Amino acid sequence: MQRHLLKSVLLCTILTSTALLSGCGDAEATNSTEKKEEVIAIPVEVANIQHGQISSNYATTAVLEAKEEAFVVARASGIIHEIMVEEGDYVEKGQILAKLETERYRLNLLKAQANLVGIEKELNKIKDVYSKKLVSDDTYDKLVAQYSSAKASLELAQLDLEETTILAPIAGFIAERNAKVGNLTESFQRERMFHIVQQKQLYGIVHLPEKELARVHKGQNATLNMTALSDQSVAAYVERISPVVDSKTGTFKVTLSVPNQTNLLKAGMFAQVRLNYDTHDNAILLPRQALLDIDNQLNVFVVKDGVATKTPISIGYQEEGTIEVIQGLNGDEQVVITGHHNLKDKAPVEIVNG
């Protein structure tokens, strides 16, 4: 009797546990179904498509050079007596830069003048005698030659005296001054006294690959971003194109003219150059970060009514952080720029732009 009662109790316990487990399983199944039906919107940032101007450019670098520069050396020898300018000064053409001691050259000039006067008097005396055929042609010709030589010597002495004053051959800024008062300078010595640069117009020399030769023409616009001026943009244009391609490097030389009327730019500055090939106006412009390359096809995610739709596009010119869209967008869409790398087509999204 007791054994039969124990079996009955165990059977009831097992049935109760099974019912409880079955009930829990139904609850979990119900919760799982409810979770599957829950929709989660993915947070994204979007940007509006813009309309504007975009250009096709070739990017390279250049170092600015002075269009005109002069290395001033002394034509006369002597001790430097006085210096009239300093580095950074602006000088006009013909302005006095320095003076040498002149005493020796002044005395040479007086000597040449006296010599010429003496020969001239003697020549005047012999002219009357020569007209009467009392002096040979040979004697008269020698005296005439001496007179011409003395006259040339006087002119040379005058020139030597003038050249003790060092003049600026061009207008511009004194970039370098090596001359010092009291130093001896030799005639046409290799060491230059002054370096003058004219910076109203500067040059930017670039070397382009030969494949770009057909796309470059005289007068073409260029933009220079100056590193020393916090990447400030400066306008330039193509002034000259070399007709020869360097066989060693496969490049050709292009000279850019850079106006500098305010003297803000300096020779030697480094510049990032963008040579403008072509410009499209009123183009559909897309932020570069919106672009995705999926299966060798360029795509963007267009957001409309809280849903992101994958849209294939074709692009044109690219400039800095902007891309031209030539097919696939109308120009009034919103595109995802952040959070789109793991998006799926038709995924619900939530715009969270700051």
Side-chain angles (χ1 to χ4, degrees):
M1 184 67 180
Q2 290 179 351
R3 186 177 297 175
H4 180 72
L5 180 61
L6 181 60
K7 288 182 179 179
S8 299
V9 171
L10 289 173
L11 181 60
C12 290
T13 302
I14 292 170
L15 291 173
T16 303
S17 299
T18 304
L20 289 172
L21 290 173
S22 177
C24 291
D26 291 342
E28 288 178 0
T30 303
N31 291 338
S32 176
T33 304
E34 290 177 356
K35 287 181 180 179
K36 287 180 181 178
E37 292 175 353
E38 184 180 350
V39 177
I40 300 176
I42 300 173
V44 295
E45 289 188 24
V46 299
N48 293 321
I49 299 295
Q50 303 290 329
H51 290 263
Q53 189 180 82
I54 192 168
S55 300
S56 171
N57 301 302
Y58 182 86
T60 183
T61 60
V63 175
L64 298 186
E65 301 178 5
K67 182 176 181 179
E68 293 183 6
E69 62 180 340
F71 299 101
V72 182
V73 298
R75 295 185 177 184
S77 301
I79 302 297
I80 300 174
H81 176 67
E82 187 178 6
I83 295 176
M84 319 296 288
V85 296
E86 290 294 341
E87 290 180 358
D89 290 348
Y90 183 82
V91 296
E92 296 291 347
K93 182 177 180 180
Q95 183 175 330
I96 297 175
L97 305 179
K99 292 182 178 181
L100 307 181
E101 290 185 353
T102 61
E103 187 63 20
R104 182 181 299 275
Y105 293 99
R106 188 181 65 81
L107 293 175
N108 283 337
L109 178 61
L110 293 175
K111 179 181 177 181
Q113 287 174 337
N115 187 40
L116 179 63
V117 169
I119 295 176
E120 188 174 14
K121 288 181 179 180
E122 186 175 353
L123 183 60
N124 290 333
K125 289 179 182 179
I126 205 172
K127 279 182 179 179
D128 293 336
V129 180
Y130 178 72
S131 63
K132 298 177 181 178
K133 302 298 182 179
L134 299 176
V135 176
S136 66
D137 291 341
D138 185 55
T139 301
Y140 179 76
D141 290 341
K142 285 181 179 180
L143 192 57
V144 170
Q146 289 177 6
Y147 174 78
S148 298
S149 177
K151 188 176 180 181
S153 296
L154 176 60
E155 292 176 354
L156 284 173
Q158 289 174 332
L159 182 60
D160 288 341
L161 182 60
E162 291 173 0
E163 289 179 344
T164 59
T165 300
I166 312 300
L167 304 178
I170 64 171
F173 289 92
I174 303 295
E176 186 179 359
R177 175 183 73 83
N178 295 317
K180 295 182 180 179
V181 173
N183 284 5
L184 173 65
T185 179
E186 298 292 338
S187 176
F188 295 101
Q189 66 183 6
R190 294 185 63 183
E191 183 181 357
R192 56 205 183 206
M193 297 179 67
F194 301 94
H195 179 202
I196 303 176
V197 294
Q198 172 56 270
Q199 300 191 130
K200 294 293 184 184
Q201 194 82 17
L202 296 173
Y203 280 152
I205 308 299
V206 297
H207 295 85
L208 305 183
E210 57 182 310
K211 65 180 182 179
E212 305 294 332
L213 186 58
R215 305 182 68 183
V216 182
H217 57 83
K218 189 175 180 180
Q220 192 168 354
N221 292 326
T223 302
L224 276 61
N225 290 334
M226 310 306 303
T227 304
L229 302 178
S230 302
D231 289 330
Q232 179 176 334
S233 295
V234 176
Y237 63 90
V238 175
E239 183 170 303
R240 294 195 299 271
I241 302 171
S242 173
V244 178
V245 175
D246 187 338
S247 60
K248 295 180 180 178
T249 63
T251 62
F252 63 99
K253 178 181 176 181
V254 176
T255 302
L256 304 176
S257 182
V258 187
N260 186 34
Q261 296 302 316
T262 61
N263 291 312
L264 180 64
L265 307 178
K266 308 298 180 185
M269 280 186 171
F270 181 81
Q272 299 284 348
V273 179
R274 286 181 299 154
L275 189 61
N276 180 255
Y277 288 152
D278 187 25
T279 299
H280 288 172
D281 295 317
N282 198 31
I284 299 175
L285 304 181
L286 176 76
R288 181 183 294 274
Q289 60 264 42
L291 203 61
L292 287 174
D293 189 348
I294 302 174
D295 298 330
N296 296 322
Q297 170 65 54
L298 296 178
N299 299 270
V300 295
F301 278 95
V302 176
V303 176
K304 185 176 181 181
D305 298 329
V307 176
T309 304
K310 185 175 73 172
T311 305
I313 63 170
S314 299
I315 64 173
Y317 293 160
Q318 303 183 41
E319 188 174 14
E320 297 180 349
T322 304
I323 296 175
E324 178 190 20
V325 179
I326 58 177
Q327 189 176 355
L329 297 176
N330 297 323
D332 55 359
E333 297 92 344
Q334 281 188 325
V335 293
V336 180
I337 59 173
T338 303
H340 54 324
H341 291 282
N342 295 319
L343 275 182
K344 294 183 178 180
D345 191 24
K346 306 298 183 181
V349 295
E350 179 185 359
I351 299 174
V352 294
N353 286 36

